[in-house]
């Protein structure tokens, strides 16, 4: 490999990109003293987001996680009724959930006392496998709620999953935290759940520094979520409470940042797409593939560019609970070696989100693959050549590449050269 100098300033995985209008709206909030959880910025974020996605109602909340919590809770109450205080809405109930996702997708099921049953991933879009979902309904026909995510901004197999859920009378909570702006058959993600959510966390395609949005077409759901998010105050002269409350409402200052970012969503997507295409072209000829999507039916938002290494080009890599070792081999590599190389030159990549069924916190939960019940899983299986399921395999062979929209083409060419160097003979 020819001499490469480390980047003078770090190349990030995905960092906030501001444009100026954010400051204007924050300042407006400041100068008019709407510094709380009420104000024009919140109203505008809700209006513009609902319109952009195509949903009737949007509720601005403090985070995507808060939005998921209330989405899952409201579905739980729809299905099983209002729980007693101190009890969750899903107690005694199983919920099907995407397995290869960020843990914020799954945790709110536990907040409400439910048990997540993790559904394995498919190779076509790296999202929930409809075949495994159908298997899960065979094993647990009583389940009435399914939580799906669109990983890295790539829409999952929406039609297949919706058809299965309809057939079994199950509601869907759609986690579109990573996929704002992505479409499936021309329809925006965020349209496919009974309740759907978005995130405006610092590393997402647009950001408020934090923040989340809940989307629904159901007026009752919208009203309930709004009420719960502001401590469940009843319409009375004093603080009157009939239900459990939360402090989950979006701040009008944060909303100012999101409001300033929303007009730049399409520009960010175009930049992310260019990054994806540049990797795809630049890595051609290597035994790797970019993260796939359904080119006929879906348009991702290209939030993160990822790659997966062919099995034949994997060197030995052994992951323990928190540490990893690998053995370099000429012509071969592994995600760890590539991540190490990137870090050496001051660029940030990341392993694929470690599947939920492999996480210590969820290891005892049921896990369903296309073959049925997933077999017992221990770290021994993460070893080379002992792959039990799709999620584990993608985690083992895949990684997220630096995907920051402020990375220049020249910088990206260097990143590509660093990756190519890992496959040198
Ligand atoms: C970021 C993210 C969330 C959580 O959103 P926050 O706004 O950070 O709380 C949930 N699900 C997925 C898939 C995410 O990537």
């Amino acid at each position: 490999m020819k001499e490469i100098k480390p980047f003078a300033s770090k190349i990030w995985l995905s960092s906030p990109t501001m444009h100026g209008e954010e400051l204007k709206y924050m300042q407006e909030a400041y100068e008019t003293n709407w510094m709380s959880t009420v104000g024009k910025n919140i109203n505008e974020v809700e209006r513009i987001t609902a319109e952009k996605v195509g949903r009737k109602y949007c509720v601005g909340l403090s985070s995507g996680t808060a939005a998921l919590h209330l989405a899952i809770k409201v579905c739980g109450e729809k299905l099983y009724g209002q729980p007693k205080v101190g009890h969750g809405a899903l107690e005694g109930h199983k919920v099907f959930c995407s397995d290869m996702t960020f843990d914020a997708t799954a945790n709110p099921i536990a907040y409400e006392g439910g048990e997540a049953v993790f559904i394995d991933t498919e190779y076509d879009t790296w999202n929930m496998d409809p075949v495994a979902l159908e298997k899960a309904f065979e094993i647990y026909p009583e389940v009435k709620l399914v939580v799906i995510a669109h990983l890295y901004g790539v829409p999952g197999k929406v039609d297949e999953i919706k058809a299965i859920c309809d057939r079994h009378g199950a509601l869907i909570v759609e986690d579109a935290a990573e996929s704002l702006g992505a479409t499936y058959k021309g329809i925006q993600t965020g349209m496919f759940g009974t309740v759907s959510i978005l995130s405006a966390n610092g590393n997402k395609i647009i950001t408020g520094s934090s923040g989340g949005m809940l989307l629904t077409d159901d007026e009752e759901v919208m009203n309930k979520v709004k009420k719960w998010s502001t401590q469940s105050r009843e319409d009375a002269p004093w603080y009157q409470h009939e239900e459990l409350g939360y402090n989950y409402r979006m701040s009008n200052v944060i909303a100012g940042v999101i409001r300033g970012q929303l007009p730049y969503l399409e520009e960010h997507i175009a930049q992310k797409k260019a990054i994806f295409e540049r990797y795809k072209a630049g890595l051609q000829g290597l035994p790797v593939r970019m993260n796939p999507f359904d080119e006929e039916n879906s348009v991702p938002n290209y939030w993160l560019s990822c790659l997966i290494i062919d099995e034949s080009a994997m060197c030995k890599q052994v992951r323990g609970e928190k540490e990893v070792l690998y053995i370099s081999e000429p012509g071969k590599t592994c995600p760890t070696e590539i991540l190490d190389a990137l870090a050496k030159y001051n660029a940030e990549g990341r392993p694929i989100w470690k599947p939920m069924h492999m996480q210590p916190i969820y290891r005892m939960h049921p896990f369903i693959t296309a073959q049925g019940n997933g077999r017992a899983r221990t770290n021994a299986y993460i070893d080379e050549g002992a792959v039990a399921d799709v999620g584990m395999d993608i985690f083992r062979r895949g990684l997220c590449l630096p995907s920051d929209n402020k990375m220049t083409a020249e910088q990206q060419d260097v990143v590509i050269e660093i990756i190519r160097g890992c496959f040198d003979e």
Side-chain angles (χ1 to χ4, degrees), residues 244-297:
L244 209 56
Y246 302 84
N247 181 5
Y248 277 178
R249 194 73 166 123
M250 181 179 279
S251 142
N252 193 50
V253 180
I254 296 281
V257 184
I258 302 173
R259 187 181 172 193
Q261 287 260 289
L262 277 166
Y264 294 92
L265 173 62
E266 300 308 327
E267 183 181 312
H268 287 193
I269 293 173
Q271 291 163 338
K272 296 274 191 182
K273 182 179 181 184
I275 290 169
F276 181 92
E277 300 289 348
R278 199 168 188 90
Y279 275 130
K280 196 171 173 180
L283 297 172
Q284 215 138 64
L286 292 180
V288 302
R289 209 155 76 92
M290 297 300 291
N291 52 325
F293 60 94
D294 176 351
E295 299 190 20
E296 213 168 291
N297 293 311

Side-chain angles (χ1 to χ4, degrees), residues 62-66 68 101-105 149-151 175-178 197-204 210-212 303 353:
S62 55
S63 69
T65 309
L68 273 162
T101 182
F102 187 54
D103 75 334
T105 312
H150 306 287
L151 203 71
D175 179 353
E178 299 178 3
I197 74 99
L198 302 169
S199 165
N201 188 357
N203 65 2
K204 299 299 197 301
S210 63
W303 175 54
W353 295 183

Side-chain angles (χ1 to χ4, degrees), residues 225-401:
V225 166
K226 245 186 205 172
K227 178 179 156 189
W228 289 347
S229 74
T230 49
Q231 305 289 18
S232 291
R233 280 135 65 165
E234 298 298 329
D235 186 14
W238 41 78
Y239 288 143
Q240 176 84 3
H241 304 287
E242 294 173 6
E243 293 177 281
L244 209 56
Y246 302 84
N247 181 5
Y248 277 178
R249 194 73 166 123
M250 181 179 279
S251 142
N252 193 50
V253 180
I254 296 281
V257 184
I258 302 173
R259 187 181 172 193
Q261 287 260 289
L262 277 166
Y264 294 92
L265 173 62
E266 300 308 327
E267 183 181 312
H268 287 193
I269 293 173
Q271 291 163 338
K272 296 274 191 182
K273 182 179 181 184
I275 290 169
F276 181 92
E277 300 289 348
R278 199 168 188 90
Y279 275 130
K280 196 171 173 180
L283 297 172
Q284 215 138 64
L286 292 180
V288 302
R289 209 155 76 92
M290 297 300 291
N291 52 325
F293 60 94
D294 176 351
E295 299 190 20
E296 213 168 291
N297 293 311
S298 71
V299 182
N301 71 2
Y302 300 93
W303 175 54
L304 291 188
S305 288
C306 308
L307 64 74
I308 183 163
I309 302 166
D310 290 355
E311 184 64 55
S312 59
M314 280 283 292
C315 70
K316 197 172 174 71
Q317 168 192 249
V318 180
R319 281 178 170 148
E321 210 49 79
K322 293 182 179 172
E323 292 172 308
V324 56
L325 290 171
Y326 63 91
I327 301 172
S328 267
E329 260 183 83
K332 294 185 175 189
T333 189
C334 63
T336 310
E337 186 173 50
I338 295 175
L339 290 169
D340 279 0
L342 290 170
K344 195 173 124 196
Y345 294 102
N346 205 18
E348 183 188 33
R350 192 163 294 172
I352 295 297
W353 295 183
K354 184 173 177 175
M356 291 301 112
H357 79 277
M358 296 169 71
Q359 299 286 356
I361 183 174
Y362 288 126
R363 197 165 280 159
M364 300 313 286
H365 283 227
F367 170 60
I368 311 299
T369 69
Q371 287 74 45
N373 262 309
R375 63 172 159 135
R377 293 159 306 278
T378 69
N379 272 308
Y381 291 113
I382 307 175
D383 230 327
E384 185 189 20
V387 167
D389 55 73
V390 177
M392 180 183 284
D393 183 37
I394 296 173
F395 175 60
R396 194 175 64 95
R397 293 191 288 127
L399 73 147
C400 308
L401 301 170

